[in-house]
Amino acid sequence: MSKLFFIALFATVVLAQDLPLMPWPANVSRGQGELILNPSFRISSFGGDARLHDAALRLADRLFRETGIPISREFTDVAATLAIIVEEKKTDDESYHLLVDSHQARLTSTGPLGALRGMETLLQLVHIGPSGFSIPAVDIDDQPRFAWRGLSLDVSRHFIPPDAIKRTIDGLAAVKMNVLHWHLSDDQGFRVESKKYPKLQQKGSDGQFYTQAEIREIVAYAAARGVRIVPEFDIPGHATSWFPGYPNLASGTGPYEIVRTGGVLRATMDPAKESTYRFLDGFIGEMAKLFPDPYFHIGGDEVSATGEWSHNPHISAFMKKHKLADFRALQAYFNRRVQKIVAAHHKRMMGWDEILHPDLPKNVVIQSWRGQESLADAARKGYNGILSNGYYLDLMYPASQHYAVDPLKGATAGLSSDERKRILGGEAAMWEELATEENIDVKLWPRLAAVAERFWSLESVADPASMYRRLGPVSHWLETQGLEHLQEIRVMQERLAPDAAPQVAILASILEPMKGYTRHRARKYGSLVPFNRLVDAIPPESDAAREFADETDRAVMRRKLAGWRDNARAVTPKLAANPMLAEIVEVANAIEELCSIGLEALDSHPAPERAQAMLAIIDRDSKPKAEMLIQIAPSIRKIVDPNSMPAVSK
Amino acid sequence: MSKLFFIALFATVVLAQDLPLMPWPANVSRGQGELILNPSFRISSFGGDARLHDAALRLADRLFRETGIPISREFTDVAATLAIIVEEKKTDDESYHLLVDSHQARLTSTGPLGALRGMETLLQLVHIGPSGFSIPAVDIDDQPRFAWRGLSLDVSRHFIPPDAIKRTIDGLAAVKMNVLHWHLSDDQGFRVESKKYPKLQQKGSDGQFYTQAEIREIVAYAAARGVRIVPEFDIPGHATSWFPGYPNLASGTGPYEIVRTGGVLRATMDPAKESTYRFLDGFIGEMAKLFPDPYFHIGGDEVSATGEWSHNPHISAFMKKHKLADFRALQAYFNRRVQKIVAAHHKRMMGWDEILHPDLPKNVVIQSWRGQESLADAARKGYNGILSNGYYLDLMYPASQHYAVDPLKGATAGLSSDERKRILGGEAAMWEELATEENIDVKLWPRLAAVAERFWSLESVADPASMYRRLGPVSHWLETQGLEHLQEIRVMQERLAPDAAPQVAILASILEPMKGYTRHRARKYGSLVPFNRLVDAIPPESDAAREFADETDRAVMRRKLAGWRDNARAVTPKLAANPMLAEIVEVANAIEELCSIGLEALDSHPAPERAQAMLAIIDRDSKPKAEMLIQIAPSIRKIVDPNSMPAVSK
């Protein structure tokens, strides 16, 4: 009793909205007190299946990692500190109820999936309270808004090894996402072992592919965490890597090689040969067994209008014979044939916007890279769809920008109630032209957690300030759960600057990579180019720059500007002496200049002429340097002239 | 040509002794220029075996990790940037020759083992040179001084999961060690799955054991890296964890439970029953198949003189009957019987000092925890031996202390040439009473690299200043090779101080854990006690304190002392508010006090009376606090009084 009294007396009042939960639950209320974690903590588990039992064992290990307190892996029947109670063995229901008081945590759900989701909430709640590691008293009732909450991950442009895939699955599960859409083939690499057509991986992957054993292991790993794996094999375009092994599949004459650069390519699968469909039947049959998910993604995007189809007389003759007016009709024909093959192997076909065509059966699912309008169009025509437009994490936009995109806002807002139900959810997308296995985590995290919240939480949970307040602690939490986004940055920066890593880290903290597709065009990139520069070793979004933009205390602003300026000045000789960082001298000089201008303008309001000169310098320093942007530049512009319009920098 | 000219012109002159190599090679000379690493880097591999081929593939991946430059995994026959040439498929020879100029690196060896060792040297040489990532021109001829260079790792007191074992093996290989001596059973846990006697792991491990599949995988993993695995099952003492499953093996009446605390325990295997030897025959037979190494370690240390043997009339009768005068003779009888079983399963027996007895055949190997005298005694009697005394990494001594211990100095120095050959090498030891899977890497690394140098390099390579100059970069290099010693510290400190991790890191940077066995006695420790305090989240050795002790520039000393003082003062309120860090307030106060005294004494030589008062405070602040020592205290004492003797603090 005295202990409880102590807790009640000294507990900081933590409001529900301060809890570092992401995605934010449907209903949260904060109770009195805390549940203390100590070595006598015990777990009991009732109901559920083997998957739940394994998850509860992992929960014990994860509680240990969060606290350093040994948590027994032997479950008890009585007086458990954490009781997990699941009603049924099987159900798709992801809802759960978590009730924590100072004696016990009770996690209840109708099925194992809900319990898995609730465990993540429980783990996010662990913190150091007034009596040590503890879980605050809460009452949480939660369920997802959308059933389809995914990440589309390209492993063709750069291969991502199995361990990183598993880590990504851990991250998806941690933020309650439930689909990994695995983009397994593209022009730049074919990443799955086929035993039926082994030349696919032998000639199409540079030896970088997943064996079938690895695939099975990853699929099981994901299933154990409540994550489905939807494979994508992109056809008939984006398919060059199939052709070095099987040139007969192509519409051109070859010879074909794995593509080393990016862009939309001309090589295209031949839809006019029966042998193509026989091959696809064999291949899809093999893959349908390997990937148990009911969905099978055939890509279907970006078939080149000026590509091989337009140069092949055999294809022209075929189109004439089948009365196919244009390439769009030809692709629709191809898709119908492929859909029948997919269906024959007991799968539902998915594809990008371009596959939408009235001839296709209504059980086909459309994934929209084009946007809500395209998605609304599909829904009105009776197709289910998911939104990816607005969620392209490879474009290096801030979390808030993706967070503001809603699958049911914009063109989809006007849909009827039945039509709206056809919007199943969304998928973030990560294309790997400019990302590698070394920085995959930091390209995804923590921004992906904000997208996860968009898909799981209520539409009304949309305040970016609240999101950012929680994103910081959640980012650290994700690192404790095994993600490496913070570690990747450190390792890559230390590699670049073994003798000046802390100074380079300060410099880098206000930098961001160029946005959108501008960096793709900045130089000739490709899969054999090293991605080991500073621009590859920084997060997409600068926390320091965002916090500076929100800063109102001029003394703090002064201190920060002086710190960045002094650091930039001090590190410049080391940058100049290091061939890997010589390009950053220009960046450091611009930072020094910008900070000096900011300090000058803070100290005394500049006269109009001086202000004009300052703005000209700011505009120059706002241009990309070493493919990065100095993200405090807009804030400094505001200090100089609160009303001026910034030069658009992309 | 112009490029080469440029390199020659701008290359910093790097002397051979500045190369960050550890262990230091037998012969090194520095050439002119550098070999540039870029995407056209190609590897060729001639001779050797499948193990070598896999190692060369890993080398490509590791070069990628060191540089971010994609390195082709397809080997070439011609014009390779790196040519690996191995003469024979099999040989125990670990010597190699590495010749690097600005065109090519050539790694040659008589057998695959030598090439494995040479690859590590090559990887240590990669750095950012005048033209980017490169390898300096060198000519290195290298071979080990001792054939047995190991780590004895306890996984009983705290279980270490398979991934951490693999990481440790990577680390051993990285510093050219070749033996992992795996201490798999002790009073606190039995860590191997036995299919013949499954109650060993079922009742002796809390579910924390290696399956036979995991063992096989780890053994293969180690073999691929040129590391042997020697299993140890400690009998007849240190064997309590065998008895919950098989109480009949014990000399007492039980009941038995897994031990949760430390120390030398009374429970002992019964050497007077034939059933004990039948059991051991079955068990050792099973393990002999699981562990292919020719050596089998039976422990044999620390049998309690006042334990179960002295309370069992059946054992007294047995001793009388067999004319065994004392327990030492009884254990010798036991060892002879066990040795015959081990030999029958085609293994050579190893044990700790205590097994040494003239009745044992000369092919038994003695591992000495007692020291060179004991080792010399064994060698004179014709036994091979290895030294572990002086290399106990769990005692938290600095690298220099272990580095100064030589297997062939002290009592062994007087041995004849033939006797000296019986000293096969040494093993560092890591006992896990106070270490867990969370901080295993930082307890081992980087200090283990210094011990590795002692075993590999010439006896004359013994300058601690040179060792420390290289240990810093090697420590970072080890982290790039997958070890987590720096990351562990960060993660544990961030867990303790989510809102003040950088400040706590500065505070922690001058702290060290208590030394020797003093911390074991500081409180009642055991396997169920959390090891999640600051003392668990700091390295055994403070680099900052050592550098401060070596500092001669009084301005730098002032700046450092003021920095530590200000940081300690600033962080104190956050420590006080955090129940996991409240014990550190006392430490922070002492740091503040010590730094203030240091600054005062630097500013003006204190009068005798003031100096006395200062020394009294320093002595008080030198006492352990929160089980840690403020490691700058001796340096501050020196500032106050260069001639005074420090109070001994352990």
Side-chain angles (χ1 to χ4, degrees), chain A residues 549-618:
Chain A
D550 292 341
E551 187 58 63
T552 52
D553 184 333
R554 293 170 80 88
V556 173
M557 289 163 81
R558 262 192 203 92
R559 190 168 49 71
K560 287 187 172 181
L561 288 172
W564 289 323
R565 180 200 56 194
D566 296 348
N567 177 71
R569 191 177 291 162
V571 76
T572 299
K574 282 190 178 165
L575 302 176
N578 179 332
M580 292 297 297
L581 291 172
E583 63 172 345
I584 311 302
V585 170
E586 188 195 9
V587 181
N589 290 343
I591 288 174
E592 201 183 325
E593 193 170 54
L594 281 168
C595 292
S596 300
I597 286 175
L599 284 165
E600 184 187 334
L602 277 175
D603 284 340
S604 64
H605 192 69
E609 200 167 323
R610 176 61 185 145
Q612 276 317 105
M614 284 173 158
L615 293 176
I617 296 170
I618 293 169

Side-chain angles (χ1 to χ4, degrees), chain A residues 241-357:
Chain A
S241 65
W242 303 56
F243 305 151
Y246 299 93
N248 199 41
L249 286 171
S251 306
T253 50
Y256 294 98
E257 281 184 9
I258 298 169
V259 174
R260 304 299 180 188
T261 53
V264 176
L265 297 167
R266 300 160 58 89
T268 314
M269 206 169 264
D270 189 341
K273 278 191 210 136
E274 272 311 302
S275 60
T276 298
Y277 301 105
R278 282 196 300 275
F279 184 101
L280 287 175
D281 184 49
F283 177 74
I284 292 172
E286 184 184 14
M287 293 300 121
K289 286 198 191 77
L290 193 57
F291 293 96
D293 200 78
Y295 292 84
F296 196 93
H297 203 302
I298 62 122
D301 57 319
E302 297 186 318
V303 177
S304 168
T306 58
E308 289 181 343
W309 284 359
S310 52
H311 299 285
N312 184 329
H314 155 75
I315 288 181
S316 310
F318 182 86
M319 289 171 72
K320 212 167 202 173
K321 182 176 157 201
H322 288 80
K323 303 201 169 53
L324 300 165
D326 53 20
F327 292 147
R328 192 167 180 281
L330 179 59
Q331 192 181 350
Y333 169 89
F334 176 78
N335 288 338
R336 279 196 305 279
R337 296 287 306 265
V338 172
Q339 191 277 329
K340 277 181 190 138
I341 294 169
V342 169
H345 293 292
H346 314 292
K347 302 285 179 183
R348 283 180 71 169
M349 188 168 95
M350 281 187 81
W352 298 94
D353 306 74
E354 288 94 326
I355 71 160
L356 186 61
H357 195 281

Side-chain angles (χ1 to χ4, degrees), chain B residues 150-166:
Chain B
L151 167 69
S152 168
L153 184 68
D154 169 18
V155 295
S156 173
R157 274 62 177 264
H158 278 103
F159 182 66
I160 304 296
D163 277 357
I165 298 293
K166 287 186 185 170

Side-chain angles (χ1 to χ4, degrees), chain A residues 65 67 129 487 495 532 579, chain B residues 65-67 129 487 495 532 579:
Chain A
R65 279 217 302 274
T67 62
Q487 169 76 347
R495 184 171 72 191
N532 59 0
Chain B
R65 279 218 301 274
E66 290 193 352
T67 62
Q487 169 76 348
R495 184 171 72 192
N532 59 0

Side-chain angles (χ1 to χ4, degrees), chain B residues 165-238:
Chain B
I165 298 293
K166 287 186 185 170
R167 213 162 62 220
T168 303
I169 290 166
D170 286 334
L172 293 176
V175 295
K176 303 186 173 63
M177 292 187 108
N178 64 354
V179 177
L180 175 66
H181 161 187
W182 211 356
H183 185 82
L184 287 159
S185 71
D186 211 305
D187 299 306
Q188 291 81 358
F190 192 96
R191 303 301 183 195
V192 173
E193 175 191 29
S194 168
K195 296 192 195 268
K196 209 172 167 80
Y197 305 108
K199 280 187 280 184
L200 284 170
Q201 74 272 10
Q202 283 163 8
K203 302 213 167 176
S205 77
D206 293 313
Q208 294 195 302
F209 63 90
Y210 309 102
T211 65
Q212 294 206 353
E214 285 169 337
I215 298 270
R216 269 187 288 269
E217 193 187 330
I218 288 169
V219 166
Y221 189 92
R225 286 150 182 83
V227 175
R228 298 165 36 216
I229 292 203
V230 176
E232 176 185 348
F233 297 94
D234 204 349
I235 50 175
H238 285 287

Side-chain angles (χ1 to χ4, degrees), chain A residues 42-189:
Chain A
R42 284 287 177 287
I43 300 175
S44 66
S45 178
F46 302 97
D49 51 11
R51 173 168 67 165
L52 186 79
H53 181 82
D54 289 347
L57 282 175
R58 283 199 307 277
L59 180 71
D61 292 341
R62 294 169 72 190
L63 285 169
F64 167 67
R65 279 217 302 274
E66 289 193 353
T67 62
I69 297 166
I71 303 291
S72 175
R73 306 171 95 248
E74 294 186 13
F75 298 161
T76 174
D77 300 334
V78 287
T81 335
L82 167 63
I84 303 168
I85 301 142
V86 174
E87 285 171 28
E88 294 174 41
K89 274 206 173 176
K90 285 209 166 187
T91 145
D92 285 346
D93 185 6
E94 297 183 86
S95 70
Y96 68 92
H97 179 218
L98 176 65
L99 183 66
V100 181
D101 62 26
S102 54
H103 300 288
Q104 196 189 38
R106 285 175 67 86
L107 173 60
T108 50
S109 65
T110 58
L113 269 180
L116 290 182
R117 307 301 175 229
M119 287 180 194
E120 303 297 338
T121 303
L122 182 90
L123 287 162
Q124 286 190 340
L125 288 169
V126 175
H127 74 303
I128 298 179
S131 300
F133 286 103
S134 58
I135 302 170
V138 287
D139 189 345
I140 293 177
D141 243 319
D142 198 11
Q143 75 276 330
R145 178 174 170 221
F146 291 109
W148 192 297
R149 308 176 305 279
L151 166 69
S152 167
L153 184 67
D154 169 19
V155 295
S156 175
R157 274 61 178 263
H158 278 102
F159 182 65
I160 304 296
D163 278 356
I165 297 293
K166 288 186 186 170
R167 215 162 62 220
T168 303
I169 290 166
D170 286 334
L172 293 176
V175 294
K176 303 185 173 64
M177 292 187 107
N178 64 354
V179 177
L180 175 65
H181 161 187
W182 211 355
H183 185 82
L184 287 160
S185 71
D186 211 305
D187 299 307
Q188 291 81 358

